[in-house]
Amino acid sequence: MGHGQEHPPAGPAQDPHSRRLVVVSNRLPFTFARDAGGAWQALPGGGGLVTALLPVLRNRGGTWIGWPGATGDKEELESALRGAGTSAGYSFGAVDLLPDEVHDFYLGFSNEIIWPLFHDLQSLCNFDPAYWRTYCRVNRKFAEVIAAQSRTGDFVWIHDYHLMNVAAALRELGVGGRLGFFLHIPFPSPDLFLKLPWRAELLRALMCFDLVGFQTARDRRNFVQCLRLFEKDVEIEGRGHVLAARLGEREVRIGHFPISIDYAAFRRQAEAPEVADKARELHERLPGRRIILGIDRLDYTKGITLRLRAFRNLLDRHPELHGKVSFMQVVVPSREDIPQYHKLRTEIDQLVGQINGSLARPGGWVPVWYEYRNLTRLELLAYYRAADIALVTPLKDGMNLVAKEYCACSVEEDCVLILSEFAGAASQLGRGALLVNPYDEEGVADAIRAAYLMDPAERRARMRRLRASIREHDVFWWVDSFLQAAITRDLRDYPQPGGPWDDALDYQLPF
Ligand code: GDG
C-alpha cells in the first residue's frame, strides 16, 4: 500500500467505482469450521454488517479482510479462503487470532465495554485494563494484514467498533493512504463517553482516519461534542452532511450515512412463489389471527423482554384481542459465551412461559410463538411477508436493518411498522412508522392496538412512503455516498442540506 500521504484525486466528478475496495471488519462474512470429514467449510455469517456489505462486494468485487472465526493450520485455512473467494467473486484476507486474543479483544473490550457503553448501558461495562491492551495489539494485527494486502489507489474501508484503532496502527506502520471508517453502532453522548478510561486515546485514534462515518446526525453530533471537549484546538467547518474537522495538519471528514439494504433483492425474493406459499402456510397455522413479528439477535439492546411485557400489557388491558393476535418472536443465537446474554435468554424463556402459561388454551390460541434459532433466508422472507405488524423496539440501535427488510418484503403494502424512537432507522422512517418509546410498556401496547385497528388506506399510505424511502436510499446509495464523501476534493461539491438526501437524513425526532 502507498506509504506517504496520498491526496484526494482532483475534481468532484471522481467515480467512486474506480477504486478497488478493501473492506475490513472483525469477522469475515463466512465462518470457517471443519465438517465431519475434517475438511474446512465456509458457513455464512450473520448480522447487520454482513447483510449490508455482502451485496456491495458481490456487485463491485474487491477484498474483504477479517477474522475467519477459526484457528487452525494456516495453509489449509488460506486455501479454504481462496476457494470461498473464487465462488464469491471477491477475495478474502484472514487475520489470525489466538484464543486469548479473541477473549480479551472481542468478548472483552468490544462486547463488554464498547457495545454496552455505546448503547447507553454503562452499568453493564467491565472496564478491565487488560482488555484495552489486547484491543490495541489485535488492531495492530489487522493493520499489518491490511498493509500487506492492499496497494496504492485502493480505498480501505474499516468497519465498526472492534477496529477503531486500526488507522492509528496503520499510520505507525507508515501507511499514508486514505482510510475510511464507519461505525455501525451509535456513538454515545459526552457524559457517557467520558466514563471510558481510554477516551482520549480512542478519539485520537479515530482522528487518524480520513473519513469517519456515523449512522445518524445524532451520533455525529455526539462525536463532535466529544471531540471539542478533548481537542480544544479543533476547528469544525461545514454545514452539510459531511463536516471537516481540522486539527493541526490533519483534516478529518465527519459525516452521517444511514446504512440500508439491497431493497430490490429483498423485494424480488419476497415476491417468489415459494415465499408466498410459506407465508400462507403460517397464516393457516394461525387462523383468524393478525401476526405481530419480532426478529432480533439475542441482545439486551434489542428490548425483547420489555417488548414481551408490552404485549402482555396489551392482552391484560384488552381481552377483546385474545385469540385475535399472535406474537411471533424469533431470537437468533448470538454471543452466547458472554454471561449477560445467557441471563437474557433465561429471562426471555421465563416471560414467554408466564404469558403462555396464563393465557394459552389447550388446542387453541397460544399468545406468543417463540423460536430461538437461525432462520433460513426463505423462512426469514416468509415471516416478514406473513406479518401484519412488525414490532421493532430496540432500547438503542445504530440503524436496525430488520425494520427496513420488513418494509421491503411487505409486497402487499398492507401492514404496519412499529419502531423505537431510539433506533437509528427512526430518523429515516419516522414519518411512516408508528414511533414508540420502548421503555413505555403502555405506550407500546397502545401502538400495537392502533396498528391493529388502523384502516387499510392508512396502512397502505404509510407503507408506501416507507418503501419509497428505502428503495431510493438503498445500500448502494449508502456506499456511493460514503465513498464520494471520502474522495471528493472540495466538500462544497458534496450534496448540501435541501438536496435529495434530506428525506433519509433529517427527520426530526421528538427529543
Ligand atoms: C448492527 C447494528 C445496524 C436476523 N435473524 C436472521 C437473520 N437476521 C439478519 C437480519 C438483518 C441482520 O441479521 C440484523 O441486522 P440489524 O441491523 O437489525 O442488527 P445488528 O446485527 O445488531 O447490526 C445495527 C447494523 O449493524 C448495520 O449497520 O443496523 O444497528 O447493531 O439483516 O435479516 N438472517 C437470517 N436468519 C435469521 O434468523 N438469514
Side-chain angles (χ1 to χ4, degrees):
M1 181 176 191
H3 289 211
Q5 189 65 42
E6 189 201 314
H7 295 289
Q14 255 288 314
D15 176 7
H17 295 269
S18 63
R19 293 178 163 221
R20 194 176 77 114
L21 192 57
V22 178
V23 162
V24 189
S25 65
N26 170 44
R27 298 293 288 262
L28 287 173
F30 297 101
T31 297
F32 288 84
R34 288 189 189 279
D35 63 18
W40 286 106
Q41 55 169 349
L43 306 165
L49 186 152
V50 169
T51 307
L53 285 165
L54 259 186
V56 175
L57 268 279
R58 267 195 214 124
N59 194 272
R60 54 181 291 154
T63 295
W64 192 322
I65 294 174
W67 178 54
T71 36
D73 181 84
K74 209 167 175 238
E75 268 178 30
E76 265 182 29
L77 203 53
E78 270 168 11
S79 128
L81 280 168
R82 271 194 303 278
T86 311
S87 43
Y90 50 90
S91 60
F92 292 116
V95 181
D96 248 343
L97 297 183
L98 304 169
D100 280 359
E101 289 174 335
V102 175
H103 184 272
D104 283 11
F105 150 75
Y106 176 67
L107 300 173
F109 195 80
S110 303
N111 286 327
E112 279 187 20
I113 299 181
I114 298 297
W115 179 268
L117 187 68
F118 281 32
H119 285 90
D120 300 355
L121 294 164
Q122 183 231 315
S123 60
L124 300 184
C125 293
N126 172 13
F127 293 114
D128 185 335
Y131 289 172
W132 168 247
R133 284 192 290 276
T134 310
Y135 185 78
C136 294
R137 192 168 72 242
V138 169
N139 272 241
R140 192 173 167 99
K141 270 192 165 181
F142 272 81
E144 283 159 3
V145 176
I146 298 166
Q149 298 214 1
S150 50
R151 39 185 202 253
T152 307
D154 286 352
F155 183 74
V156 179
W157 190 0
I158 290 148
H159 289 264
D160 227 1
Y161 60 105
H162 318 85
L163 303 177
M164 292 186 281
N165 249 24
V166 166
L170 279 166
R171 301 308 183 201
E172 272 170 34
L173 293 172
V175 171
R178 290 188 74 69
L179 302 170
F181 175 77
F182 185 78
L183 185 68
H184 289 254
I185 65 172
F187 195 88
S189 62
D191 50 341
L192 278 157
F193 187 73
L194 283 171
K195 309 271 165 42
L196 184 70
W198 310 277
R199 58 205 185 177
E201 289 92 325
L202 207 64
L203 277 180
R204 221 160 286 140
L206 284 168
M207 291 297 281
C208 294
F209 289 98
D210 298 288
L211 170 62
V212 180
F214 298 95
Q215 299 270 27
T216 65
R218 168 195 70 188
D219 304 311
R220 189 187 73 178
R221 189 183 56 230
N222 286 342
F223 177 74
V224 167
Q225 284 174 354
C226 290
L227 197 59
R228 285 192 200 278
L229 279 177
F230 283 91
E231 302 288 358
K232 300 285 178 229
D233 297 331
V234 72
E235 288 171 30
I236 313 267
E237 276 178 22
R239 49 181 204 92
H241 301 306
V242 183
L243 309 175
R246 256 181 226 103
L247 196 57
E249 294 288 283
R250 282 201 61 69
E251 183 190 295
V252 181
R253 292 178 180 178
I254 304 170
H256 63 293
F257 311 89
I259 201 166
S260 196
I261 56 165
D262 184 350
Y263 174 88
F266 270 100
R267 200 206 63 200
R268 195 182 55 248
Q269 290 164 7
E271 280 169 351
E274 56 274 28
V275 173
D277 289 348
K278 197 144 187 58
R280 201 172 316 114
E281 212 178 279
L282 282 168
H283 270 292
E284 280 164 12
R285 290 171 70 179
L286 301 166
R289 316 238 164 92
R290 301 272 187 89
I291 299 178
I292 304 167
L293 178 69
I295 295 190
D296 310 82
R297 273 190 310 100
L298 178 71
D299 202 291
Y300 47 76
T301 62
K302 301 290 182 185
I304 304 167
T305 51
L306 283 173
R307 189 183 308 159
L308 283 162
R309 288 201 183 97
F311 184 63
R312 186 174 58 193
N313 183 300
L314 172 83
L315 298 178
D316 288 347
R317 287 193 294 136
H318 297 284
E320 74 280 9
L321 292 179
H322 290 198
K324 304 242 172 66
V325 289
S326 284
F327 179 28
M328 287 177 56
Q329 175 65 57
V330 179
V331 175
V332 182
S334 171
R335 303 180 194 169
E336 286 166 287
D337 305 341
I338 301 176
Q340 285 293 346
Y341 288 71
H342 221 74
K343 201 170 139 237
L344 174 64
R345 192 182 161 190
T346 312
E347 271 176 51
I348 297 170
D349 286 351
Q350 283 170 349
L351 260 170
V352 172
Q354 279 165 17
I355 299 172
N356 285 343
S358 60
L359 293 169
R361 296 286 167 263
W365 174 59
V366 178
V368 184
W369 169 331
Y370 171 53
E371 297 186 39
Y372 181 73
R373 66 180 179 106
N374 256 297
L375 301 179
T376 63
R377 176 88 170 178
L378 172 67
E379 288 172 322
L380 179 75
L381 297 168
Y383 279 34
Y384 282 147
R385 214 180 139 171
D388 301 285
I389 298 167
L391 202 46
V392 182
T393 56
L395 308 182
K396 184 113 182 186
D397 217 330
M399 179 56 56
N400 195 295
L401 296 182
V402 166
K404 294 188 172 184
E405 292 167 8
Y406 173 67
C407 297
C409 293
S410 298
V411 291
E412 275 96 18
E413 300 187 323
D414 187 24
C415 49
V416 185
L417 171 66
I418 298 176
L419 181 62
S420 162
E421 289 168 341
F422 308 123
S427 63
Q428 179 181 349
L429 306 180
R431 289 193 186 95
L434 295 183
L435 287 191
V436 292
N437 171 358
Y439 293 95
D440 177 3
E441 202 175 290
E442 290 194 344
V444 175
D446 290 345
I448 302 174
R449 187 162 172 271
Y452 180 86
L453 296 174
M454 191 182 284
D455 74 79
E458 184 178 351
R459 290 204 293 263
R460 189 152 291 125
R462 283 176 176 270
M463 194 42 71
R464 276 207 179 131
R465 176 175 210 146
L466 290 168
R467 283 162 60 87
S469 173
I470 303 163
R471 184 177 62 234
E472 197 177 330
H473 304 101
D474 66 3
V475 73
F476 304 108
W477 168 87
W478 171 73
V479 174
D480 282 354
S481 51
F482 187 93
L483 296 184
Q484 201 72 60
I487 67 178
T488 302
R489 177 175 275 264
D490 189 334
L491 273 185
R492 281 170 303 187
D493 297 319
Y494 196 71
Q496 292 297 309
W501 286 40
D502 280 11
D503 185 38
L505 299 168
D506 286 345
Y507 175 73
Q508 289 302 315
L509 289 171
F511 45 83

